[in-house]
């Protein structure tokens, strides 16, 4: 399997190079040259099998170059760190609405769905870097959850240092502490005086600075890295087969920020899973709702909400969908991205928007709707739900009201409620306790550097720390 850049101007790479490189040299994102196909029998055969086995079957076609026993071990090690053997259990929300289900993706070490992919990514990095005798500097940007999941996956590994940029004062205290209290010599936290989009822009600028990139041997773990998305395809498959798939189509509602998770659902469908609908759930930062409804992708200011991991205007992985919508014409994607840079907006042509048919829905929930959904879910099921997941429920209900259907609708539960205790308490009056392994989080010592939103300052800091290792 080769990988192509969405902007069509970087050479195709093999899996291991895509893993280590992250972003393509032309500024684009790597996507598989073609979608591996799973037959209905193969998908049906996932029923009742252990998660690790399904994961191996789904990922192997993408991960050429990694020998199968090594891949199997990496996956097994990754999910041994989860608190439940099913990894991604499915529970009913039928007390909230008919045919509504919840996919619990928060049972990993840092309590958000990002662990599902990041734990695999950590193992893949270790394997490939050891094989090559290489050492890298991983730099990532986080709106809260990517950072802790990445640090947890990379801490203590000998062939990688990790630097994580987070927006100063804009993550929850639990999110920040999960990053800044990790005591490992290869972990460096940077609090940027700006928003998540500023952090992401700094990251992209570092990737696009070829001299810097080569000097520190830079690598990335954001969902712009294809290997981050690949493990997320798996739980769409395991959820669907539990609900009668592949004979019966299934719909998903996905709390969306950078468009990585929902794109993995799209990938599952491209591989043959009958997905009836993918609802893109947004908070007040609703650029995706607007672009899917009108084709107009216009950047606005970022608003801070109860769901900080979705406080994003530039959803990087949307470019991957655009690439398919535009008939895999890299030059056309590059043109739109130039418009975005120049005019802060672009327009998706009508034919491109129509090319995905009725697959995508897009709904937004404001703060009041988010709190009301958390409250209602708690009242009907006594379940505490984090604000991101609640936005997924709210969007699922709105989409069903507009497009009635009897197929099962699965809401992706993206975070444990204890990650956002203030919001949960505000909505329900109940403060969710942290799981045991994090019970002393507020007693641990924090360590991070506050830096201005300035490329040169951040690069100088990274250089100094790398040199000191
Ligand atoms: C990262 C995150 C999201 C958004 O996921 P994307 O793949 O960036 O769209 C939603 N909810 C939570 C809790 C997250 O951590």
């Amino acid at each position: 399997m080769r990988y192509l850049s969405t902007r069509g101007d970087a050479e195709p790479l093999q899996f291991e190079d895509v893993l280590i490189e992250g972003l393509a040299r032309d500024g684009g994102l790597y996507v598989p040259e073609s979608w591996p196909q799973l037959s209905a029998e193969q998908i049906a055969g996932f029923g009742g099998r252990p998660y690790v086995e399904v994961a191996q079957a789904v990922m192997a076609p993408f991960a050429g170059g990694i020998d199968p026993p090594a891949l199997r071990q990496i996956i097994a090690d990754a999910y041994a760190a989860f608190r439940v053997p099913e990894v991604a259990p499915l529970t009913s929300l039928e007390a909230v609405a008919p045919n509504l289900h919840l996919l619990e993706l928060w049972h990993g070490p840092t309590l958000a769905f990002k662990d599902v992919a990041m734990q695999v990514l950590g193992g893949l990095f270790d394997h490939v870097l050891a094989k090559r005798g290489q050492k890298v500097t991983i730099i990532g940007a986080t709106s809260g959850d990517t950072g802790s999941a990445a640090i947890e996956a990379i801490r203590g590994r000998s062939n990688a240092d990790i630097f994580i940029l987070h927006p100063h004062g804009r993550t929850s205290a639990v999110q920040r502490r999960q990053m800044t209290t990790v005591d490992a010599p290869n972990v460096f936290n940077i609090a940027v005086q700006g928003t998540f989009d500023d952090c992401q822009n700094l990251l992209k600028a570092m990737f696009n600075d070829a001299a810097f990139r080569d000097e520190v041997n830079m690598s990335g773990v954001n969902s712009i890295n294809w290997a981050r998305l690949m493990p997320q395809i798996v739980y769409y498959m395991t959820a669907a087969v539990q609900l009668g798939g592949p004979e019966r189509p299934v719909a998903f509602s996905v709390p969306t920020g950078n468009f990585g998770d929902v794109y993995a659902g799209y990938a599952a469908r491209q591989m043959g899973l009958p997905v009836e609908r993918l609802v893109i759930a947004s908070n007040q930062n609703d650029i995706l709702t607007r672009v899917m409804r009108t084709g107009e992708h216009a950047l606005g200011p970022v608003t801070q909400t109860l769901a900080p991991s979705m406080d994003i205007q530039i959803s990087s992985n949307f470019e991957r969908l655009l690439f398919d919508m535009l008939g895999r014409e890299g030059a056309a994607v590059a043109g739109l991205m130039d418009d975005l840079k120049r005019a802060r907006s672009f327009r998706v042509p009508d034919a491109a928007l129509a090319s995905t048919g009725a697959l995508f829905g897009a709904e937004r929930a404001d703060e009041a709707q988010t709190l009301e959904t958390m409250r209602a879910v708690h009242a009907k099921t006594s379940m505490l739900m984090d604000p991101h997941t609640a936005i997924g429920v709210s969007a699922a209900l709105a989409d069903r009201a507009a497009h009635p259907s009897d197929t099962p609708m699965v809401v992706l539960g993206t975070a444990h409620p204890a990650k956002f205790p203030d919001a949960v308490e505000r909505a329900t009056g109940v403060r969710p306790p942290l799981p045991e392994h994090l019970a002393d989080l507020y007693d641990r010592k924090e360590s991070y550097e506050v830096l201005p939103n300035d490329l040169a300052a951040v690069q100088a800091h990274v250089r100094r720390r790398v040199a000191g290792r």
Side-chain angles (χ1 to χ4, degrees), residues 255 365 369-371 373-374 377 385-395 411:
Q369 288 167 315
T370 306
L371 288 166
T373 305
M374 293 161 83
V377 167
M385 187 172 272
D386 100 281
H388 304 77
T389 306
I391 290 167
V393 170
S394 172
V411 175

Side-chain angles (χ1 to χ4, degrees), residues 102-107 110-115 145 235 253-256 261 307 309-310 385-392 411-417 419-420:
L102 176 67
L103 187 60
E104 298 181 5
L105 299 174
W106 60 67
H107 294 284
T110 72
L111 313 182
F113 84 94
K114 299 205 167 59
D115 288 323
D145 295 329
Y235 48 70
S253 176
V254 189
T256 296
D261 209 4
S309 299
M310 295 158 63
M385 187 172 272
D386 100 281
H388 304 77
T389 306
I391 290 167
V411 175
L412 270 57
T414 51
H416 190 289
K419 227 169 165 170
F420 303 94

Side-chain angles (χ1 to χ4, degrees), residues 79 115 165 191 219 246 269 278 288-289 307 319 384 392 398 404 407:
Y79 297 128
D115 288 323
L165 280 54
S219 187
R269 177 179 178 269
L278 290 167
L288 290 169
T289 316
E319 180 169 340
L384 296 177
T407 56

Side-chain angles (χ1 to χ4, degrees), residues 11-98:
E11 68 176 301
L13 295 182
Q14 299 293 328
F15 176 75
E16 293 189 9
D17 298 308
V18 167
L19 171 75
I20 304 298
E21 294 263 319
L23 198 67
R25 295 261 164 178
D26 60 0
L29 279 63
Y30 280 110
V31 289
E33 185 166 36
S34 61
W35 293 107
Q37 295 300 304
L38 295 172
S39 67
E41 294 86 74
Q42 278 173 302
I43 295 173
F46 293 157
R49 298 245 309 273
Y51 191 89
V52 169
E53 273 182 36
V54 180
Q56 161 104 7
V58 172
M59 290 192 233
F62 292 108
I66 313 279
D67 47 296
L71 181 63
R72 194 186 170 80
Q73 193 59 49
I74 288 165
I75 296 169
D77 290 348
Y79 297 128
F82 277 57
R83 293 184 303 284
V84 295
E86 310 95 296
V87 179
L90 190 69
T91 52
S92 171
L93 281 179
E94 302 222 48
V96 175

